[in-house]
Amino acid sequence: MEHTIAPSPEVFREANDIVEGLLQTCEAVLGKDSDLKVYMSWADQPSPEVISEEEARINVGTGENWKDDLKTTVAQAYAQSWFLEYKSNSYHWEELLMLGHSLMFAENITEVKPQLDPEEELEENWPVLREEVQMSLVEETEELSHYGFTLAYYLAEELKDVHGLENFPELSMSDMIDAGDRLFQG
């Protein structure tokens, strides 16, 4: 019987080197107080899963652009773990603030903009999203589960010029709501 094991040990080493190098870059840009332990696993889609300010799981994508996707995923995970050193998430607005911060940070590090829903769709849905942003994380939110990624990005983009990414943990729910009102109620 012949068999093949994928990914190869060489690919594992390459992924490990990418993660190590990117974590050093992230640390140089935005220093963390606590250590960060990163676990890697392979999945169809790349994604960060931040467990705490000290632990993150990186799902390495298996697609054609896995190296670039890995860089973005590591930068997002790093930024989220940094954010959690300062603020825990109990409400959707805090989760969106952390996600938006990590998306902006990753874009700055990798120079890759995430794929987003059209801004017009958020304008149409802002009245419902505005209410859901204020809810506890325990409460399920239909619109946020669909538009949350894009909403987090646009809100963070609006807030970063005024407040700076390093000050995001100090922002409040009213800062988020006001940014959304400026963006989507024009």
Side-chain angles (χ1 to χ4, degrees):
M1 173 185 95
E2 290 187 36
H3 64 275
T4 304
I5 299 173
S8 68
E10 293 78 24
V11 171
F12 273 115
R13 279 192 285 283
E14 189 173 9
N16 192 53
D17 290 346
I18 290 170
V19 171
E20 182 65 37
L22 204 50
L23 287 173
Q24 289 174 6
T25 299
C26 291
E27 173 73 22
V29 173
L30 191 66
K32 276 178 53 60
D33 293 329
S34 60
D35 293 337
L36 179 61
K37 182 181 276 188
V38 176
Y39 303 96
M40 292 192 310
S41 61
W42 294 83
D44 290 337
Q45 295 294 319
S47 65
E49 182 184 337
V50 179
I51 301 159
S52 71
E53 66 273 10
E54 297 174 344
E55 284 186 87
R57 180 173 293 112
I58 304 295
N59 290 321
V60 182
T62 57
E64 189 175 306
N65 296 321
W66 73 268
K67 293 176 192 177
D68 292 333
D69 292 343
L70 177 58
K71 292 174 185 175
T72 298
T73 302
V74 170
Q76 287 175 0
Y78 181 90
Q80 289 178 23
S81 70
W82 175 88
F83 189 93
L84 288 173
E85 288 185 340
Y86 300 96
K87 187 179 216 108
S88 62
N89 297 335
S90 300
Y91 293 91
H92 288 289
W93 73 268
E94 292 169 317
E95 187 78 13
L96 287 171
L97 186 60
M98 181 180 72
L99 177 58
H101 173 268
S102 73
L103 294 170
M104 289 282 113
F105 182 78
E107 183 177 339
N108 289 344
I109 295 290
T110 65
E111 298 179 353
V112 175
K113 186 172 180 163
Q115 293 182 341
L116 303 168
D117 293 317
E119 193 170 342
E120 299 79 38
E121 289 183 32
L122 294 175
E123 289 174 11
E124 291 172 21
N125 292 288
W126 177 241
V128 173
L129 288 166
R130 190 180 198 281
E131 294 302 316
E132 290 183 359
V133 163
Q134 300 174 60
M135 300 168 102
S136 164
L137 279 177
V138 176
E139 299 173 81
E140 294 289 325
T141 56
E142 187 175 327
E143 295 296 318
L144 271 182
S145 61
H146 182 75
Y147 293 111
F149 184 87
T150 298
L151 179 63
Y153 180 87
Y154 286 127
L155 291 175
E157 188 175 51
E158 176 76 10
L159 292 166
K160 80 172 173 139
D161 294 332
V162 175
H163 301 283
L165 285 176
E166 68 280 356
N167 296 316
F168 269 40
E170 298 170 14
L171 299 178
S172 67
M173 181 172 62
S174 63
D175 293 320
M176 294 285 288
I177 298 294
D178 291 347
D181 287 346
R182 284 191 305 275
L183 281 168
F184 306 123
Q185 291 182 342

